[in-house]
Short mmCIF file of all heavy atoms in Angstrom, two decimals:
data_model
loop_
_atom_site.label_atom_id
_atom_site.label_comp_id
_atom_site.label_asym_id
_atom_site.label_seq_id
_atom_site.Cartn_x
_atom_site.Cartn_y
_atom_site.Cartn_z
N LEU A 1 93.07 128.90 -6.32
CA LEU A 1 93.35 129.12 -4.91
C LEU A 1 94.19 130.35 -4.79
O LEU A 1 95.20 130.55 -5.45
CB LEU A 1 94.12 127.91 -4.36
CG LEU A 1 94.46 127.92 -2.84
CD1 LEU A 1 93.16 127.87 -2.04
CD2 LEU A 1 95.36 126.74 -2.49
N PHE A 2 93.72 131.29 -3.88
CA PHE A 2 94.43 132.55 -3.63
C PHE A 2 94.66 133.32 -4.94
O PHE A 2 95.72 133.97 -5.14
CB PHE A 2 95.76 132.32 -2.94
CG PHE A 2 95.65 131.65 -1.59
CD1 PHE A 2 96.30 130.46 -1.39
CD2 PHE A 2 94.87 132.21 -0.59
CE1 PHE A 2 96.16 129.82 -0.12
CE2 PHE A 2 94.73 131.59 0.64
CZ PHE A 2 95.38 130.39 0.87
N ASN A 3 93.71 133.22 -5.87
CA ASN A 3 93.81 133.90 -7.17
C ASN A 3 94.96 133.40 -8.00
O ASN A 3 95.45 134.11 -8.87
CB ASN A 3 93.87 135.38 -6.97
CG ASN A 3 93.33 136.13 -8.18
OD1 ASN A 3 92.37 135.69 -8.79
ND2 ASN A 3 93.88 137.31 -8.50
N LEU A 4 95.43 132.20 -7.75
CA LEU A 4 96.53 131.58 -8.50
C LEU A 4 96.03 130.46 -9.35
O LEU A 4 95.07 129.73 -8.95
CB LEU A 4 97.63 131.07 -7.53
CG LEU A 4 98.30 132.12 -6.64
CD1 LEU A 4 99.27 131.40 -5.69
CD2 LEU A 4 99.00 133.17 -7.45
N THR A 5 96.64 130.24 -10.49
CA THR A 5 96.26 129.15 -11.39
C THR A 5 96.88 127.86 -10.89
O THR A 5 97.77 127.83 -10.03
CB THR A 5 96.71 129.43 -12.85
OG1 THR A 5 98.14 129.43 -12.88
CG2 THR A 5 96.18 130.75 -13.34
N ALA A 6 96.44 126.75 -11.45
CA ALA A 6 96.97 125.45 -11.11
C ALA A 6 98.48 125.39 -11.41
O ALA A 6 99.22 124.83 -10.64
CB ALA A 6 96.23 124.34 -11.90
N ALA A 7 98.88 125.99 -12.51
CA ALA A 7 100.29 126.01 -12.90
C ALA A 7 101.13 126.80 -11.89
O ALA A 7 102.27 126.39 -11.55
CB ALA A 7 100.48 126.59 -14.31
N GLN A 8 100.59 127.89 -11.37
CA GLN A 8 101.32 128.68 -10.41
C GLN A 8 101.43 127.96 -9.06
O GLN A 8 102.48 128.00 -8.43
CB GLN A 8 100.62 130.02 -10.22
CG GLN A 8 100.80 130.99 -11.37
CD GLN A 8 100.04 132.25 -11.18
OE1 GLN A 8 98.88 132.28 -10.86
NE2 GLN A 8 100.74 133.40 -11.37
N ILE A 9 100.40 127.28 -8.65
CA ILE A 9 100.43 126.54 -7.41
C ILE A 9 101.46 125.40 -7.49
O ILE A 9 102.23 125.17 -6.56
CB ILE A 9 99.02 125.99 -7.05
CG1 ILE A 9 98.10 127.17 -6.74
CG2 ILE A 9 99.10 125.04 -5.90
CD1 ILE A 9 96.65 126.74 -6.56
N PHE A 10 101.43 124.70 -8.66
CA PHE A 10 102.37 123.65 -8.84
C PHE A 10 103.80 124.18 -8.90
O PHE A 10 104.75 123.56 -8.40
CB PHE A 10 102.04 122.88 -10.14
CG PHE A 10 102.87 121.61 -10.34
CD1 PHE A 10 102.85 120.63 -9.39
CD2 PHE A 10 103.62 121.44 -11.49
CE1 PHE A 10 103.62 119.47 -9.58
CE2 PHE A 10 104.39 120.30 -11.67
CZ PHE A 10 104.37 119.34 -10.72
N SER A 11 103.97 125.36 -9.48
CA SER A 11 105.27 125.98 -9.54
C SER A 11 105.78 126.31 -8.14
O SER A 11 106.99 126.08 -7.84
CB SER A 11 105.21 127.27 -10.38
OG SER A 11 104.93 127.02 -11.76
N LEU A 12 104.92 126.84 -7.31
CA LEU A 12 105.31 127.13 -5.93
C LEU A 12 105.77 125.88 -5.17
O LEU A 12 106.72 125.93 -4.38
CB LEU A 12 104.16 127.86 -5.19
CG LEU A 12 103.85 129.28 -5.59
CD1 LEU A 12 102.66 129.80 -4.83
CD2 LEU A 12 105.06 130.18 -5.33
N ILE A 13 105.06 124.81 -5.40
CA ILE A 13 105.41 123.52 -4.76
C ILE A 13 106.78 123.08 -5.21
O ILE A 13 107.63 122.67 -4.40
CB ILE A 13 104.35 122.47 -5.08
CG1 ILE A 13 103.00 122.79 -4.43
CG2 ILE A 13 104.82 121.08 -4.61
CD1 ILE A 13 101.85 121.88 -4.87
N LEU A 14 107.07 123.23 -6.53
CA LEU A 14 108.36 122.82 -7.04
C LEU A 14 109.45 123.72 -6.51
O LEU A 14 110.59 123.24 -6.19
CB LEU A 14 108.33 122.89 -8.60
CG LEU A 14 107.52 121.80 -9.30
CD1 LEU A 14 107.60 122.01 -10.81
CD2 LEU A 14 108.04 120.41 -8.95
N ILE A 15 109.25 125.03 -6.45
CA ILE A 15 110.23 125.96 -5.92
C ILE A 15 110.58 125.60 -4.49
O ILE A 15 111.75 125.46 -4.12
CB ILE A 15 109.72 127.40 -6.04
CG1 ILE A 15 109.57 127.80 -7.49
CG2 ILE A 15 110.72 128.35 -5.29
CD1 ILE A 15 108.87 129.16 -7.67
N PHE A 16 109.53 125.48 -3.66
CA PHE A 16 109.74 125.18 -2.25
C PHE A 16 110.45 123.83 -2.05
O PHE A 16 111.40 123.73 -1.28
CB PHE A 16 108.39 125.13 -1.52
CG PHE A 16 108.52 124.74 -0.06
CD1 PHE A 16 108.91 125.64 0.91
CD2 PHE A 16 108.20 123.45 0.32
CE1 PHE A 16 109.04 125.21 2.26
CE2 PHE A 16 108.29 123.03 1.67
CZ PHE A 16 108.71 123.95 2.60
N THR A 17 110.01 122.82 -2.75
CA THR A 17 110.59 121.48 -2.63
C THR A 17 112.03 121.43 -3.07
O THR A 17 112.91 120.88 -2.41
CB THR A 17 109.79 120.44 -3.45
OG1 THR A 17 108.42 120.47 -3.05
CG2 THR A 17 110.35 119.05 -3.25
N SER A 18 112.32 122.07 -4.22
CA SER A 18 113.72 122.08 -4.76
C SER A 18 114.68 122.77 -3.83
O SER A 18 115.74 122.25 -3.52
CB SER A 18 113.71 122.75 -6.13
OG SER A 18 112.92 122.07 -7.03
N ILE A 19 114.29 123.97 -3.33
CA ILE A 19 115.18 124.72 -2.46
C ILE A 19 115.34 123.98 -1.12
O ILE A 19 116.46 123.91 -0.57
CB ILE A 19 114.61 126.14 -2.20
CG1 ILE A 19 114.63 126.91 -3.53
CG2 ILE A 19 115.40 126.85 -1.10
CD1 ILE A 19 114.02 128.29 -3.43
N LEU A 20 114.24 123.36 -0.61
CA LEU A 20 114.34 122.65 0.63
C LEU A 20 115.29 121.44 0.48
O LEU A 20 116.13 121.20 1.38
CB LEU A 20 112.95 122.12 1.03
CG LEU A 20 112.86 121.26 2.28
CD1 LEU A 20 113.32 122.12 3.50
CD2 LEU A 20 111.43 120.73 2.50
N LEU A 21 115.25 120.75 -0.64
CA LEU A 21 116.11 119.60 -0.84
C LEU A 21 117.59 120.02 -0.95
O LEU A 21 118.47 119.30 -0.44
CB LEU A 21 115.69 118.84 -2.12
CG LEU A 21 114.39 118.04 -2.04
CD1 LEU A 21 114.01 117.52 -3.41
CD2 LEU A 21 114.49 116.92 -1.04
N ILE A 22 117.83 121.15 -1.58
CA ILE A 22 119.21 121.65 -1.65
C ILE A 22 119.77 121.93 -0.26
O ILE A 22 120.87 121.52 0.10
CB ILE A 22 119.28 122.91 -2.53
CG1 ILE A 22 119.03 122.54 -3.98
CG2 ILE A 22 120.68 123.57 -2.37
CD1 ILE A 22 118.99 123.79 -4.94
N PHE A 23 118.99 122.61 0.56
CA PHE A 23 119.45 122.99 1.90
C PHE A 23 119.56 121.73 2.80
O PHE A 23 120.47 121.62 3.62
CB PHE A 23 118.50 124.01 2.56
CG PHE A 23 118.79 125.40 2.12
CD1 PHE A 23 117.99 126.03 1.18
CD2 PHE A 23 119.88 126.10 2.65
CE1 PHE A 23 118.26 127.35 0.77
CE2 PHE A 23 120.15 127.39 2.23
CZ PHE A 23 119.35 128.02 1.28
N MET A 24 118.62 120.80 2.69
CA MET A 24 118.68 119.59 3.47
C MET A 24 119.96 118.80 3.12
O MET A 24 120.64 118.25 4.00
CB MET A 24 117.46 118.75 3.22
CG MET A 24 116.16 119.27 3.85
SD MET A 24 114.73 118.24 3.51
CE MET A 24 115.19 116.66 4.27
N LYS A 25 120.26 118.73 1.83
CA LYS A 25 121.44 118.01 1.39
C LYS A 25 122.72 118.70 1.95
O LYS A 25 123.68 118.04 2.27
CB LYS A 25 121.47 117.94 -0.13
CG LYS A 25 122.47 116.93 -0.68
CD LYS A 25 122.02 115.50 -0.39
CE LYS A 25 122.94 114.52 -1.04
NZ LYS A 25 122.58 113.08 -0.65
N ARG A 26 122.72 120.02 2.00
CA ARG A 26 123.89 120.74 2.43
C ARG A 26 124.06 120.66 3.96
O ARG A 26 125.16 120.92 4.45
CB ARG A 26 123.80 122.20 2.02
CG ARG A 26 123.98 122.39 0.52
CD ARG A 26 124.29 123.81 0.14
NE ARG A 26 124.66 123.87 -1.26
CZ ARG A 26 125.22 124.97 -1.83
NH1 ARG A 26 125.47 126.00 -1.12
NH2 ARG A 26 125.50 124.97 -3.13
N LEU A 27 123.02 120.27 4.67
CA LEU A 27 123.16 120.04 6.12
C LEU A 27 123.95 118.75 6.37
O LEU A 27 124.50 118.56 7.43
CB LEU A 27 121.79 119.96 6.78
CG LEU A 27 121.01 121.30 6.85
CD1 LEU A 27 119.68 121.04 7.46
CD2 LEU A 27 121.81 122.33 7.64
#
């Protein structure tokens, strides 16, 4: 997808989810 491998797509999901959870917790 978008010239990205499965590992890269999964990595992006993890990055977005982790950062989102940190900010949500800080709210």
Side-chain angles (χ1 to χ4, degrees):
L1 184 65
F2 301 122
N3 207 34
L4 300 176
T5 65
Q8 287 178 309
I9 293 173
F10 189 56
S11 294
L12 288 177
I13 293 173
L14 288 179
I15 294 169
F16 175 78
T17 303
S18 299
I19 294 176
L20 178 62
L21 288 173
I22 290 176
F23 279 103
M24 287 179 61
K25 195 68 176 176
R26 290 198 172 192
L27 291 177

